[in-house]
Amino acid sequence: MDLTLTPKHRALREEVDAFIAAHRGAAPRPGGGRKRPDRKALDWQALLLEHGYFARTIPREYGGFGAPHDVIELAIIADAFSRAGISPGIHNQGISMLVPTLLEVGTEEQKRRWIGPTIRGETIWCQGYSEPGSGSDLAAAQTRAVVEDGHFVINGQKIWTSSAHFADMMFLLCRTEPDKSKHAGLSYLLLPMSAPGIEVRPLRTMTGRAEFNETFFTDVRVPVDQIVMGRGDGWHVANVTLKYERMLLGDPNKLQQRLEAIRRMMEQPGADGARLLDRAEWRDRLLRLQGEVIAARNHNMRLLTETAEGVDSGLGRFIVKYHGTMLAHRLASLALDVMGSTGLLYEPQGEVAEDDPATTWQIDYMYDIGLIIGGGSSNIQKNIIGERGLGLPREPKAAVPAGRN
Amino acid sequence: MRFGLTEDQGLFGRSLRGFLADRLPLDALRRLAETGTGFDAELWRGLGELGLHGLLVPEEHGGAGLGMLDAALAAEALGYHAAPAPFAAALVMAVQAFRSAGDAEQQRQWLPRIAQGQARIGLGFAGLAGQTGRAALRLEGGRLSGALDGLMDGGEATHFLAYLPDGRAALIEAGAPGVTATLRRSVDRTRALVDLDLAGAAPVALLQSSNDPLAAARRVRDAGRVMLAADTLGAAQNMLDRAVAYAKERVQFGRVIGSFQGVKYMCADMATMLEPCRAMVWYAAYAQDAVPEEAAMVAAHAKAHLAEVGREVARLATEVHGGMGFTDLLGLHHQFKRITFDRQVLGGPERCRHDAAVAQGWVAA
Ligand SMILES: Cc1cc2nc3c(=O)[nH]c(=O)nc-3n(C[C@H](O)[C@H](O)[C@H](O)COP(=O)(O)OP(=O)(O)OC[C@H]3O[C@@H](n4cnc5c(N)ncnc54)[C@H](O)[C@@H]3O)c2cc1C
């Protein structure tokens, strides 16, 4: 364990603070970002990429900053942005899930083609995993693709596809080898949402907006080389993506941002002139959460170090999604309580305009429950923690065999 | 000694629930929730025919003269079905306000109008119950000025009853000169909040006949808290019932998900948290009429405890539904948001627990 800051680290910290001071006016509001990035967000992203505050360790030839991996540098940057309450850049399914997947298992051609536009926020991806009959049981996916004259021809239906209504591309899990066993019959394809035969039907969520969709495929054609790894490797690739998705959903920097935002609210005097931070019971709620966020951030540093050293963290990694999403839920819960009845006001704007703070917190509070479910529900995480992390025996199989393969 | 409902009370709760189930199928609820005013004339009329308007109004003033426990059963049913209807403030707190601080003439004039469904009174309690928002009203020369945020049952209200910091309450007409009422749609689209800006408005009545106005105001607050607790009880029960039904139907991994211990335990946890809440709400309601020395304490605890349990049940029941729970498709979120709303109005759990300590003389106010 050596966390001494080198002169280089100290210089970086000053540099980031100076950057934030100089540019904070150009930053879009953090959080609530489940829309297509607007001009402001894209310009901010470009600025962050240019300075190496985003995609810092992604090689230059793929559009990143190309810095060597240094967890302390990453922590310094994340910390500066969350302390200042400034957007750390875009985090979406393409950037946080597909890009690391391609870096891990994609071909050279795929990395060169997709990573640059994705991290710049220009190419938006959606995730075609869940189907009406297969959510937790993801490997039971029935959407199928057959090969015909150099193309996969896709038919079927996906559901809960976040962002599909504005995405440019999809990474799709589908069945290409129907005669193989459940897990061995899947492939992971990349396809443009503009392909003929794709129909996207928005689904309204509890927030009142349509953040996700049903996606229907009728004879959708995709060139056979638009596959990550090979035919039948889909389950493996899907799980690589899920690994990154679960890290994203448990992101401690987001938690830290929230904690800071709540602290700022609690410092403001209320209608009666008193500050909640001065009341022991409120302060204690905040401090408990702060303790948990510190633990999550330290844990994240440990995981980043292990990743950089090529160690698979196993259990340490399996707990991140469940832990982080529950903590996020409790942070949003505190935010709602701090705002009290004035925080109940709710007028979500359309796709472009920014929401007011109360509406944003209410959306976060609801969305957090969505994220407790999405990306593998808490129960599925607990099964993974128990079975893969702790080596407990699996649940006995049902007496009645599954209807599907 | 008997801790339970009478046959009549059981019947009343069932018939109200039956009526609401009939009137508020999901598509109807979705349509009514669109406006966000928390009011629908037809539903209001129907509830009146069932005797809801005059539930607490004494018989001499044209009501049914029932008690707080009966009102809590009604609140529970309204919460269960997420009914967009004024109740806690308009039909419970307002009646309590007149009875505890109105003079005989005011009662004779206003209680029958409430019982007939003609006076729908939105009620603002902000400062006295620990609600956030503006709470600065002044009464000078018989005129009311200032601002009061977050009035309950204020959408389509005919009148507003605004509490002053000293515990007196001024009744003003919704459209009177000097009254600006801004309707705020809340996250719970079945109930709105109203922000009042007053510039020299003339009250039509001033409720000041109690010799301890603050104590009278607290009784009104406590009645409201019990109603919100009962509302959460109903909404949470609805979410639990639906989670259990869904867990018996939905198949994953070739099994009904309710057969996974993980899901069974979630349902069992919800039931274990919620089941004692029913008796707690009954007692808190009963105490408002029959155990005055405990009324404030148990009202505060019921409000706070139901808020905590409600939040857990709201999350867990949504989780049991998977992605389906997060959508608008099943409409589960109407109850979810009802619970969100109940928690913040008339003081959140921290404030309510503080009030419980005060009520027991553990600390000064
Ligand atoms: C906000 C949000 C965004 C989403 N975005 C996307 C997206 O972009 N792309 C995409 O493909 N999908 C997306 N999803 C779908 C998500 O991945 C699924 O909802 C999730 O995997 C659960 O599947 P399900 O909805 O079918 O629920 P089910 O699998 O039916 O689960 C219902 C309940 O049963 C429990 N359960 C199931 N199996 C077991 C078991 N073996 N042991 C114990 N409990 C079990 C679950 O924990 C859950 O509580 C999103 C979902 C949400 C809520």
Side-chain angles (χ1 to χ4, degrees):
Chain A
M1 187 95 170
D2 176 11
L3 299 173
T4 21
L5 299 189
T6 62
K8 203 179 71 163
H9 288 137
R10 272 193 288 273
L12 176 68
R13 193 158 61 187
E14 276 162 33
E15 179 201 306
V16 185
D17 285 343
F19 170 88
I20 290 173
H23 296 284
R24 64 181 313 144
R29 253 235 312 277
R34 280 163 288 261
K35 304 169 178 179
R36 190 168 184 110
D38 56 11
R39 192 67 257 163
K40 193 172 183 184
L42 289 175
D43 289 345
W44 182 245
Q45 188 78 353
L47 200 62
L48 296 180
L49 281 167
E50 183 194 323
H51 286 80
Y53 302 149
F54 198 91
R56 186 171 181 82
T57 56
I58 291 181
R60 281 204 176 261
E61 58 270 33
Y62 309 142
F65 190 71
H69 208 100
D70 180 335
V71 281
I72 298 185
E73 284 190 359
L74 297 180
I76 287 171
I77 295 167
D79 185 56
F81 281 87
S82 54
R83 257 190 295 117
I86 293 285
S87 164
I90 302 167
H91 286 282
N92 60 26
Q93 296 183 320
I95 291 173
S96 306
M97 292 155 57
L98 181 74
V99 165
T101 301
L102 291 181
L103 283 169
E104 189 170 328
V105 296
T107 62
E108 187 59 24
E109 203 271 324
Q110 285 167 341
K111 293 181 205 175
R112 286 183 186 272
R113 178 161 177 202
W114 297 117
I115 293 177
T118 303
I119 60 179
R120 287 194 294 274
E122 294 157 5
T123 299
I124 303 294
W125 293 79
C126 61
Q127 175 188 34
Y129 277 21
S130 305
E131 298 182 8
S134 63
S136 296
D137 189 7
L138 179 60
Q142 292 298 295
T143 294
R144 64 189 190 284
V146 295
V147 175
E148 265 173 31
D149 52 54
H151 286 75
F152 285 111
V153 180
I154 307 163
N155 282 282
Q157 184 200 345
K158 293 291 169 181
I159 196 167
W160 321 134
T161 333
S162 303
S163 316
H165 51 301
F166 59 77
D168 308 298
M169 296 288 298
M170 170 185 275
F171 47 96
L172 171 78
L173 186 67
C174 60
R175 192 159 298 283
T176 54
E177 326 297 313
D179 36 348
K180 290 219 176 117
S181 72
K182 181 170 162 178
H183 295 83
L186 299 165
S187 294
Y188 187 107
L189 309 182
L190 307 178
L191 57 138
M193 292 302 285
S194 58
I198 296 184
E199 192 200 338
V200 174
R201 289 188 207 151
L203 276 176
R204 216 147 75 124
T205 74
M206 69 192 294
T207 69
R209 286 205 289 233
E211 286 116 338
F212 57 26
N213 308 271
E214 293 176 287
T215 313
F216 296 88
F217 301 82
T218 314
D219 295 330
V220 176
R221 296 170 69 84
V222 181
V224 283
D225 60 353
Q226 300 268 66
I227 186 170
V228 181
M229 295 187 72
R231 287 176 59 169
D233 292 334
W235 183 245
H236 175 74
V237 184
N239 275 288
V240 172
T241 304
L242 279 172
K243 174 175 78 180
Y244 294 111
E245 174 168 20
R246 289 167 184 166
M247 296 298 279
L248 165 71
L249 293 172
D251 178 15
N253 295 314
K254 183 181 92 176
L255 303 174
Q256 173 70 15
Q257 286 254 4
R258 285 210 180 165
L259 188 82
E260 291 294 323
I262 297 169
R263 179 184 57 78
R264 283 192 292 274
M265 286 199 288
M266 288 174 65
E267 277 172 358
Q268 296 302 315
D272 58 357
R275 304 182 330 150
L276 290 184
L277 213 52
D278 292 328
R279 294 182 187 275
E281 70 279 23
W282 286 96
R283 194 171 54 238
D284 188 58
R285 273 185 76 182
L286 185 69
L287 284 165
R288 273 180 192 228
L289 291 169
Q290 186 180 39
E292 289 196 51
V293 172
I294 290 172
R297 294 177 73 208
N298 291 340
H299 182 63
N300 185 53
M301 292 270 284
R302 174 193 138 192
L303 294 184
L304 286 172
T305 304
E306 287 173 358
T307 306
E309 291 172 355
V311 176
D312 182 356
S313 309
L315 179 63
R317 174 162 67 75
F318 298 144
I319 58 97
V320 168
K321 194 257 167 179
Y322 172 49
H323 182 253
T325 50
M326 281 305 288
L327 188 46
H329 164 69
R330 288 168 52 219
L331 282 161
S333 298
L334 176 57
L336 257 52
D337 292 350
V338 165
M339 293 186 299
S341 55
T342 50
L344 291 170
L345 310 184
Y346 190 70
E347 291 296 347
Q349 303 300 310
E351 285 287 319
V352 275
E354 275 191 358
D355 294 318
D356 63 89
T359 300
T360 303
W361 277 117
Q362 288 288 351
I363 289 178
D364 281 345
Y365 178 67
M366 291 186 264
Y367 220 91
D368 283 345
I369 303 214
L371 297 183
I372 284 173
I373 296 162
S377 69
S378 287
N379 279 355
I380 295 304
Q381 302 310 305
K382 290 185 208 179
N383 284 344
I384 292 172
I385 293 163
E387 293 168 10
R388 285 166 61 195
L390 300 172
L392 291 165
R394 301 178 67 91
E395 282 213 33
K397 283 249 182 308
V400 189
R404 292 184 298 259
N405 42 336
Chain B
M1 167 86 190
R2 191 171 167 274
F3 199 113
L5 302 180
T6 64
E7 206 169 305
D8 278 354
Q9 286 168 328
L11 203 62
F12 170 67
R14 273 195 301 281
S15 69
L16 184 53
R17 269 205 291 277
F19 167 83
L20 291 169
D22 194 48
R23 287 296 178 93
L24 293 173
L26 186 53
D27 53 338
L29 179 56
R30 208 175 262 140
R31 184 171 47 77
L32 297 182
E34 222 33 73
T35 64
T37 59
F39 179 76
D40 172 65
E42 222 181 291
L43 184 65
W44 178 253
R45 205 169 322 114
L47 290 172
E49 283 160 15
L50 283 174
L52 219 62
H53 298 160
L55 197 70
L56 289 179
V57 173
E59 279 167 294
E60 51 177 310
H61 295 304
L66 294 175
M68 217 50 92
L69 179 52
D70 306 281
L73 297 174
E76 183 189 345
L78 294 167
Y80 193 94
H81 292 283
F87 183 71
L91 299 180
V92 177
M93 297 171 79
V95 174
Q96 191 76 352
F98 276 98
R99 293 183 64 190
S100 59
D103 60 32
E105 172 55 23
Q106 286 167 334
Q107 297 198 25
R108 200 190 54 72
Q109 195 185 347
W110 290 98
L111 288 176
R113 296 181 63 186
I114 294 176
Q116 284 154 24
Q118 292 161 357
R120 268 193 316 278
I121 301 178
L123 193 138
F125 220 89
L128 293 172
Q131 236 171 264
T132 54
R134 300 173 305 168
L137 288 185
R138 310 176 296 283
L139 185 67
E140 285 160 355
R143 300 271 172 171
L144 205 56
S145 296
L148 188 61
D149 285 347
L151 277 82
M152 300 163 64
D153 289 347
E156 312 268 337
T158 57
H159 298 77
F160 297 111
L161 190 60
Y163 272 83
L164 296 163
D166 61 14
R168 291 179 301 162
L171 188 70
I172 51 186
E173 249 171 64
V179 178
T180 310
T182 311
L183 182 105
R184 304 266 187 210
R185 295 201 300 169
S186 84
V187 67
D188 169 14
R189 291 290 200 244
T190 63
R191 283 169 303 169
L193 291 169
V194 161
D195 291 350
L196 269 191
D197 284 278
L198 301 175
V204 289
L206 193 59
L207 309 189
Q208 53 182 358
S209 297
S210 164
N211 42 23
D212 186 351
L214 272 177
R218 279 196 293 271
R219 279 198 293 283
V220 175
R221 173 199 71 185
D222 296 341
R225 284 180 172 169
V226 174
M227 293 308 125
L228 293 174
D231 191 89
T232 289
L233 173 66
Q237 185 66 51
N238 175 292
M239 293 190 79
L240 170 57
D241 290 350
R242 286 158 78 173
V244 169
Y246 192 76
K248 290 177 185 167
E249 269 171 24
R250 169 72 173 168
V251 174
Q252 283 290 277
F253 302 97
R255 286 167 60 169
V256 165
I257 59 169
S259 73
F260 291 115
Q261 283 196 332
V263 174
K264 222 187 316 257
Y265 288 2
M266 285 160 100
C267 294
D269 276 341
M270 287 190 269
T272 305
M273 287 186 272
L274 197 56
E275 205 50 30
C277 289
R278 173 155 291 103
M280 183 188 208
V281 166
W282 289 352
Y283 182 74
Y286 169 84
Q288 302 308 306
D289 293 327
V291 197
E293 67 278 15
E294 284 192 3
M297 189 268 281
V298 292
H301 267 310
K303 170 80 163 65
H305 185 59
L306 265 294
E308 308 289 20
V309 170
R311 177 172 272 172
E312 283 293 290
V313 171
R315 173 177 61 79
L316 287 168
T318 307
E319 276 189 69
V320 168
H321 284 81
M324 202 52 106
F326 185 65
T327 57
D328 181 47
L329 291 169
L330 298 180
L332 195 69
H333 63 93
H334 292 293
Q335 278 76 13
F336 181 100
K337 293 165 180 172
R338 200 89 183 181
I339 293 168
T340 299
F341 182 97
D342 290 336
R343 181 178 178 107
Q344 306 301 344
V345 177
L346 295 182
E350 276 78 12
R351 168 60 187 244
C352 288
R353 284 190 284 258
H354 172 75
D355 289 342
V358 172
Q360 294 171 90
W362 293 0
V363 292

